[in-house]
Amino acid sequence: MKNTYELIAPCHFGLESVLKREIYDLGYDISKVEDGKVTFIGDADAIARANIFLRTAERVLLKVGEFKATTFTELFDNTKELEWEEFIPKNGKFWVTKANSINSKLFSSSDIQSIVKKAIVERLKGKYAVNWFEEDGNSYPIRVSLMKDVVTISLDTSGDSLHKRGYRPAAGKAPISETLAAALIMLTPWKSDRILIDPFCGSGTFPIEAAMIAANIAPGMNRRFTSLRWTNIINNELWDNAVEEAEDLINLSIDTDIQGFDIDENVIKIARSNAANAGVDDLIHFQARSVSELSHHKKYGFIITNPPYGERLEDKETLPAIYSAFGKQFAKLDSWSAYMITSYEDAVKYFGRKADKNRKIYNGMLKTYFYSFMGPKPPKRG
């Protein structure tokens, strides 16, 4: 059994810096930062801790090997050279769950998947002295990534994407993912002792993720991971220790002012249910309320939100009025800061104020902008 591994944590394009900080805070050394992923060094314990604690990673991959391949023969031979017996036991169920290729000579996903699988089978046939694999044991899903003819092959330790925290069985219309919401909150200077409002909260993702950050609730502590069953790589005690560590860090007795508004009463019901599932319903106030009623009597608060984009043509006509109302109410909150993610090209025009910062972020294949409208810093407390 190896002592240390290279672990790859994919994330949304444009949010690598947030994930990098999270990994450092967990105590691991980073070996590489690329578009949409951060590679770090960790032991078996790191597999459990990264899955349980990382808020902004999409999954945690255990890198088996990396090599150059411009032909299918090279892909087969180099894959076969890797020490698969170190990772996959004789009865392990293994398949290539995903293959993607960017700027590479080999680009057919289905061909890449079948050739990598064949190469692993050939390697393990020799190592285990068998001609047939029952594959009736635990699952070892494999991911293959080609970038400029460099092949990276990894085992997926997470299974379901890490955005699936388990608190949101029902999502409202056009929800933002949990990992993206957490990353955007962490990009801002918001801290748990400051006011936070999401006036377009939908199914509650921004307020819930903020409350989980405030209460120090690890996002993955109430869900299962594929590698829980990989006792040949990571023993159960390490998982137990990581969950225990997460439980010890929770602080639900904090004072928060986190609010979520939405014009749709039914969506607010879903948000409340999701917050209860996440264990943070006491930390958030949800209310059915239009953006034109956005107000707060205190100063120096934060708005972090995902307003409607107008994905459907008939919704587009309502957007100028929505963004204008939002901008008008925000202008009255003269000491506040606002952050919004949107793909709507005219968002700033109708909001009525130039953004102090504008960061391009890919939400899946959708190009979005994260606009920052900065308010003054509150005076230092004596």
Side-chain angles (χ1 to χ4, degrees), residues 191-195 298-300 377-382:
K191 294 285 179 283
S192 59
D193 60 347
R194 304 281 291 276
I195 304 155
K298 288 188 179 172
K299 288 180 164 293
Y300 306 112
K377 286 183 179 173
K380 282 201 163 64
R381 289 170 188 171

Side-chain angles (χ1 to χ4, degrees), residues 281-320:
D281 43 329
D282 289 344
L283 302 179
I284 308 168
H285 172 69
F286 286 111
Q287 194 178 347
R289 197 171 175 185
S290 159
V291 70
S292 61
E293 299 172 86
L294 172 64
S295 65
H296 201 290
H297 63 283
K298 288 188 179 172
K299 288 180 164 293
Y300 306 112
F302 282 75
I303 295 166
I304 305 177
T305 193
N306 172 39
Y309 297 171
E311 299 93 311
R312 296 200 308 262
L313 209 55
E314 63 269 27
D315 293 341
K316 275 237 181 328
E317 294 164 16
T318 65
L319 294 183

Side-chain angles (χ1 to χ4, degrees), residues 316-329 340 344-354 373:
K316 275 237 181 328
E317 294 164 16
T318 65
L319 294 183
I322 291 170
Y323 283 82
S324 294
F326 180 22
K328 189 177 164 190
Q329 294 309 108
M340 69 170 159
Y344 180 44
E345 296 290 340
D346 291 329
V348 172
K349 173 182 158 187
Y350 289 109
F351 190 71
R353 173 174 159 179
K354 192 169 179 288
F373 305 92

Side-chain angles (χ1 to χ4, degrees), residues 156-205:
D156 180 2
T157 75
S158 303
D160 280 342
S161 168
L162 294 182
H163 81 267
K164 293 188 177 176
R165 318 283 209 221
Y167 66 71
R168 196 173 74 175
K173 194 169 67 171
I176 191 165
S177 84
E178 293 84 336
T179 43
L180 179 54
L184 295 177
I185 293 165
M186 290 161 77
L187 265 183
T188 77
W190 177 79
K191 294 285 179 283
S192 59
D193 60 347
R194 304 281 291 276
I195 304 155
L196 174 61
I197 295 179
D198 179 357
F200 304 96
C201 74
S203 56
T205 312

